[in-house]
Amino acid sequence: MENEMLDQMHKKLVWKITIQFIWILCITAMIVCIIYEGIMQVHRNHVWALGGMALILLITYFIWNLHTLWELFENKTKVENELERSSTLIHCVTELSANQDVDEAINHLLEIINQYFKSDRTYIFEIDEERQIVHNSYEYAAKGVSKEIENLNEVPIQIIASWIKKFEREGSFYISNLDLEKDREDERAYECLKAQNVNSLIAVPLIRNREIIGFIGVDNPRKNYRDFPFLSSIQFFIMNRLDTKAQQEKLQYLSYRDALTNLYNRNRYMSVL
């Protein structure tokens, strides 16, 4: 992505330098003609015409340069944003891959995401279809912001029914002003979010085998709040680590249970000792 952007900027720069070079040649040629005809004191009408044309070209050249400088500033900002996005994404993937403790890795990941969006909270909710609840399994809160993970352990799935429909219909979504969405939200969801001082949020679904099994949420993002692809990219790696954790827990469960009776076995007894 960065190489393509830089290549496009290089092509534009070459094109603009060429145009400016031709422009300067034209202006220089006109100035030479004006000086020559002025010295020779002939064709005064031509002198005035050439002078007017030279002035117009100079003004146009000045405006063109201002526009070019503005474009360079915008491109510089885009490149800086893209570099920040790429480095943050690499940091996230590295954190998830390098840390063997899944819970610790995901908590560190949420901190990185929170800093990227300059938000209040970043969290993960997982859906339990069998019990028809959603539970807040991970959360990071910025300094001075209260944590809500203990209050959101078993939330009825009906409360976020409208969110699940949005995930199915739109994928990721951004609520810029919660009050404007009041009539569209479940009243309990609205009251819960307002109690947490949430005014805006980003939500991106966690998907396994085309089934929504949870979501990543970012409360009150102040920066990069339209960067859904960033969170969508990370959700793949989060799902991979969550699946790894589930397999580890399953293996641990089986290692502590007798296959026939399903009671604790010797391994469990030894671990307690």
Side-chain angles (χ1 to χ4, degrees):
M1 179 71 75
E2 294 131 10
N3 289 336
E4 289 180 6
M5 188 178 294
L6 290 171
D7 187 50
Q8 288 177 1
M9 286 178 63
H10 180 260
K11 288 179 180 177
K12 283 184 179 179
L13 187 60
V14 170
W15 178 75
K16 286 180 178 179
I17 289 172
T18 304
I19 295 295
Q20 287 180 344
F21 180 71
I22 295 170
W23 226 321
I24 290 169
L25 282 179
C26 291
I27 293 171
T28 304
M30 285 185 179
I31 291 172
V32 169
C33 289
I34 291 169
I35 292 170
Y36 174 78
E37 295 198 9
I39 292 171
M40 299 301 294
Q41 295 185 351
V42 294
H43 304 300
R44 288 186 175 274
N45 291 336
H46 289 178
V47 172
W48 283 108
L50 287 171
M53 291 176 65
L55 182 61
I56 291 170
L57 281 174
L58 280 169
I59 292 171
T60 310
Y61 180 71
F62 178 72
I63 294 170
W64 171 272
N65 275 289
L66 285 178
H67 176 70
T68 302
L69 287 172
W70 176 251
E71 278 196 337
L72 286 172
F73 174 76
E74 283 190 328
N75 287 332
K76 179 176 177 288
T77 304
K78 287 178 182 178
V79 170
E80 286 176 348
N81 290 339
E82 190 62 35
L83 286 172
E84 181 191 7
R85 183 176 182 274
S86 299
S87 61
T88 304
L89 186 57
I90 291 169
H91 191 186
C92 289
V93 174
T94 303
E95 179 61 42
L96 284 175
S97 304
N99 199 328
Q100 295 302 313
D101 187 322
V102 176
D103 291 337
E104 186 178 322
I106 292 177
N107 283 323
H108 286 170
L109 169 74
L110 295 182
E111 181 180 0
I112 296 168
I113 296 172
N114 205 74
Q115 291 171 352
Y116 179 72
F117 287 100
K118 301 293 181 188
S119 55
D120 288 348
R121 295 184 200 85
T122 303
Y123 45 82
I124 293 175
F125 273 81
E126 295 180 77
I127 297 173
D128 187 336
E129 288 286 357
E130 186 177 340
R131 298 171 60 197
Q132 286 293 288
I133 63 168
V134 291
H135 58 94
N136 189 183
S137 48
Y138 298 94
E139 179 192 44
Y140 176 82
K143 186 177 180 180
V145 178
S146 62
K147 290 190 174 183
E148 300 292 337
I149 190 168
E150 297 298 330
N151 304 322
L152 300 169
N153 273 332
E154 296 187 357
V155 179
I157 198 170
Q158 293 83 3
I159 291 180
I160 63 160
S162 62
W163 288 25
I164 294 174
K165 288 179 181 178
K166 281 185 181 180
F167 290 143
E168 293 172 344
R169 186 175 63 251
E170 306 170 17
S172 309
F173 66 85
Y174 170 57
I175 297 177
S176 60
N177 189 326
L178 185 63
D179 290 330
L180 296 178
E181 298 287 328
K182 184 177 180 180
D183 295 335
R184 304 177 191 176
E185 294 290 333
D186 184 288
E187 185 178 351
R188 292 169 295 177
Y190 174 80
E191 294 298 333
C192 181
L193 291 170
K194 289 303 288 184
Q196 299 172 41
N197 295 316
V198 177
N199 298 309
S200 61
L201 65 88
I202 305 169
V204 174
L206 295 174
I207 300 173
R208 179 193 293 129
N209 299 326
R210 298 184 179 181
E211 181 182 353
I212 297 169
I213 60 95
F215 62 90
I216 311 169
V218 179
D219 288 347
N220 299 328
R222 298 171 183 83
K223 181 183 176 184
N224 301 317
Y225 42 80
R226 289 289 184 184
D227 196 355
F228 301 145
F230 175 79
L231 283 179
S232 298
S233 300
I234 291 173
Q235 75 92 19
F236 169 79
F237 298 101
I238 292 175
M239 285 304 308
N240 184 52
R241 293 300 277 165
L242 289 176
D243 289 343
T244 300
K245 181 185 177 183
Q247 290 171 4
Q248 288 174 348
E249 290 176 346
K250 184 177 180 180
L251 288 172
Q252 186 178 33
Y253 176 85
L254 293 174
S255 69
Y256 287 158
R257 298 279 178 169
D258 182 80
L260 294 176
T261 63
N262 202 36
L263 297 174
Y264 287 131
N265 59 16
R266 188 170 181 273
N267 290 336
R268 172 64 177 174
Y269 174 73
M270 294 299 293
S271 69
V272 171
L273 294 179

